[in-house]
Amino acid sequence: MKKILLLGASGSIGTQTVDIIRSHPEELQLVGASVGKNREYLESLLQTFSLEYVYCIDTDLELESRYPNTRFYFGSDGLNRIVKEESYDLLVNALVGFAGFKPTLLAINEGKNIALANKETLVAGGDIIMKAVKEKGVDLYPIDSEHSAIFQCLQGHEKKDVRRLIITGSGGSFRDLKREELADVTLKDALKHPVWSMGAKITIDSATMMNKGFEVMEAHHLFDIDYDHIDVILHKQSIVHSMVEYEDGSTIAQLGAPDMHLAIKYALLYPRHKADEKTSRLDWDMLTSLDFKKMDYKRYPLVKLAKDVGKYGGNFGAILIGANDEAVSLFLHERIKFCEIESYIFRTLEAARFVKDPEPEEIIRANQWAIEYVDSLWANS
Ligand code: NDP
Ligand code: MG
């Protein structure tokens, strides 16, 4: 029985992870969970599972008093305490944004295995995280569908035979618009992803294609492949989730319906490919073709930027995450226009001070600096 601590249980990945855990009671046991503000969802989990411990941001003594057998954590340090002090076998990190970084690092340092959806962790501090993974000898399973695909395509093969990784991207909500048509797009339009149903922040990251840039950086860290051997290709259908090209010319792809349950389940039940009531299958009688298109880095400059930031390394990933988290938050609150997300990110990186080999505290500082810099750009606009 694998004991699971799920952070971000009330989100898009979190609720799908709960589906998977519920479908495999013979192997998976939810022992702890966190939400942010969604108290109702936390209560539904407390009613369904016998949770040993839980977290929510705001102190709720009334809820705590009704579940005397569960330990409650609240406040800004609660997630860090839970990952360090509690007992579990696998941390599933489905938090959104930079909030995911420190709990992941602390859990690795405790020797825990990680299933990681929170890509911001690797983009902000990938070198630190991967070093800790090696030192502690823990397993890190990717949940992001592209990385789950690459992970699957690498099984049974030699890393030295890998020629390049090919990450597919759907193109996001505005994939049929030219750059000049983006000036007046609305939040409502941006939140309508053509293929995937996801949380608000990553849906905006997909529309700007920052998400694809993050995925290139994530792939670099997870699979230890240099940036010149990671390519992006546009694939509207999101059926081919990514590919690995080998030296002998063979390309191995992983295909599946655009449904995150599959990637989450592989991370939780690795190396098994098991069926359950959430399994969705491709209908090969209906699927007559697969479409691909060359990546256009001028149309999506944030993908190129992410590659450059990744090559610089140091604290720039943390600055990119801080700038993007804050700019997207401003856009979600309808304080800036869609195109300003991109310009705020570029301006923040231009103003940033480079630190070559940052410690975790420097990563946190750089991230905070970027948030404040974006806020100052907005305040002076
Ligand atoms: P959601 O916004 O749907 O969920 C985020 C979760 O994190 C919620 O449970 C939320 O709590 C919690 N949370 C947010 N901020 C805090 C905080 N400061 N402290 C504690 N908890 C917090 O996000 P997604 O599920 O869409 O995405 C999660 C991660 O997975 C992201 O990094 C995303 O990029 C990545 N990812 C997502 C995919 C998807 O299909 N959704 C696909 C691939 C990767 P509450 O709602 O209760 O406030
Ligand atoms: Mg993805």
Side-chain angles (χ1 to χ4, degrees):
M1 185 64 84
K2 207 180 272 178
K3 290 183 173 185
I4 293 180
L5 162 56
L6 171 58
L7 302 186
S10 48
S12 162
I13 295 289
T15 50
Q16 294 179 82
T17 304
V18 171
D19 292 340
I20 300 294
I21 295 171
R22 203 181 269 126
S23 303
H24 298 273
E26 71 297 346
E27 284 184 65
L28 305 174
Q29 182 192 1
L30 188 67
V31 292
S34 86
V35 303
K37 299 275 184 186
N38 193 339
R39 187 186 170 284
E40 287 68 36
Y41 191 74
L42 179 60
E43 175 128 39
S44 77
L45 288 179
L46 284 159
Q47 284 164 359
T48 318
F49 297 92
S50 38
L51 294 175
E52 293 170 17
Y53 49 91
V54 295
Y55 168 88
C56 61
I57 293 177
D58 299 323
T59 305
D60 192 334
L61 299 178
E62 191 272 324
L63 188 63
E64 184 175 18
S65 69
R66 284 194 283 115
Y67 294 91
N69 297 326
T70 305
R71 289 180 291 286
F72 280 69
Y73 293 76
F74 308 107
S76 60
D77 203 36
L79 286 180
N80 299 335
R81 286 183 52 214
I82 241 179
V83 295
K84 276 199 298 193
E85 293 169 19
E86 291 292 355
S87 151
Y88 55 97
D89 302 315
L90 179 74
L91 167 69
V92 181
N93 186 341
L95 294 166
V96 66
F98 187 68
F101 172 71
K102 202 159 176 198
T104 308
L105 183 59
L106 293 173
I108 295 168
N109 285 336
E110 291 299 315
K112 307 295 189 192
N113 294 328
I114 312 285
L116 190 63
N118 180 264
K119 58 187 73 191
E120 294 87 348
T121 289
L122 286 176
V123 174
D127 290 335
I128 292 170
I129 295 287
M130 296 315 291
K131 187 165 168 256
V133 163
K134 275 195 201 97
E135 278 170 11
K136 294 289 170 182
V138 304
D139 295 323
L140 178 56
Y141 302 103
I143 286 184
D144 210 347
S145 58
E146 293 76 3
H147 307 81
S148 172
I150 292 167
F151 185 52
Q152 293 178 53
C153 297
L154 288 169
Q155 297 297 311
H157 299 276
E158 301 265 341
K159 191 185 152 227
K160 61 175 184 270
D161 292 338
V162 173
R163 182 159 179 274
R164 62 175 179 144
L165 308 180
I166 303 162
I167 297 177
T168 54
S170 71
S173 316
F174 300 132
R175 62 191 185 181
D176 295 324
L177 300 188
K178 297 194 177 77
R179 271 185 79 73
E180 51 277 20
E181 292 172 311
L182 295 174
D184 293 315
V185 295
T186 65
L187 172 61
K188 206 164 149 236
D189 294 335
L191 286 172
K192 275 188 226 141
H193 195 286
V195 193
W196 295 94
S197 163
M198 308 183 285
K201 194 250 174 188
I202 186 178
T203 305
I204 303 304
D205 288 346
S206 301
T208 61
M209 285 281 258
M210 185 75 268
N211 182 53
K212 216 38 68 182
F214 287 165
E215 290 180 353
V216 170
M217 297 173 75
E218 233 184 318
H220 163 79
H221 290 296
L222 283 168
F223 306 114
D224 191 23
I225 302 284
D226 69 65
Y227 282 99
D228 292 331
H229 291 93
I230 306 173
D231 291 320
V232 176
I233 186 167
L234 293 168
H235 170 50
K236 278 189 167 184
Q237 295 150 303
S238 296
I239 287 173
V240 176
H241 294 308
S242 279
M243 306 181 246
V244 178
E245 184 182 322
Y246 287 92
E247 291 291 357
D248 63 357
S250 173
T251 299
I252 300 187
Q254 187 260 339
L255 284 71
D259 177 348
M260 286 305 296
H261 285 100
L262 199 162
I264 299 167
K265 190 162 54 177
Y266 193 64
L268 268 56
L269 298 179
Y270 173 85
R272 298 289 313 276
H273 290 268
K274 289 174 82 172
D276 56 40
E277 65 270 23
K278 289 288 173 188
T279 300
S280 37
R281 298 183 189 283
L282 288 175
D283 183 346
W284 288 97
D285 292 334
M286 299 302 289
L287 184 62
T288 52
S289 63
L290 291 169
D291 62 76
F292 299 100
K293 200 173 148 200
K294 189 174 186 276
M295 177 63 194
D296 180 349
Y297 289 97
K298 287 210 174 74
R299 167 67 180 82
Y300 299 110
L302 290 177
V303 184
K304 167 81 169 54
L305 177 75
K307 268 198 176 195
D308 292 343
V309 165
K311 285 180 184 175
Y312 265 96
N315 62 340
F316 270 14
I319 287 167
L320 180 62
I321 287 296
N324 183 65
D325 278 6
E326 193 61 3
V328 171
S329 167
L330 288 172
F331 177 67
L332 287 171
H333 288 93
E334 297 188 274
R335 290 179 181 155
I336 62 172
K337 289 185 157 197
F338 181 74
C339 293
E340 286 176 294
I341 300 174
E342 194 180 284
S343 67
Y344 276 33
I345 292 170
F346 273 99
R347 287 165 71 188
T348 306
L349 275 158
E350 277 158 20
R353 189 176 62 88
F354 182 66
V355 177
K356 193 165 182 290
D357 291 310
E359 296 291 323
E361 288 317 311
E362 177 57 38
I363 293 290
I364 293 166
R365 239 192 327 271
N367 181 265
Q368 189 56 36
W369 174 86
I371 292 170
E372 286 164 17
Y373 192 80
V374 166
D375 286 343
S376 72
L377 288 177
W378 177 64
N380 295 319
S381 64

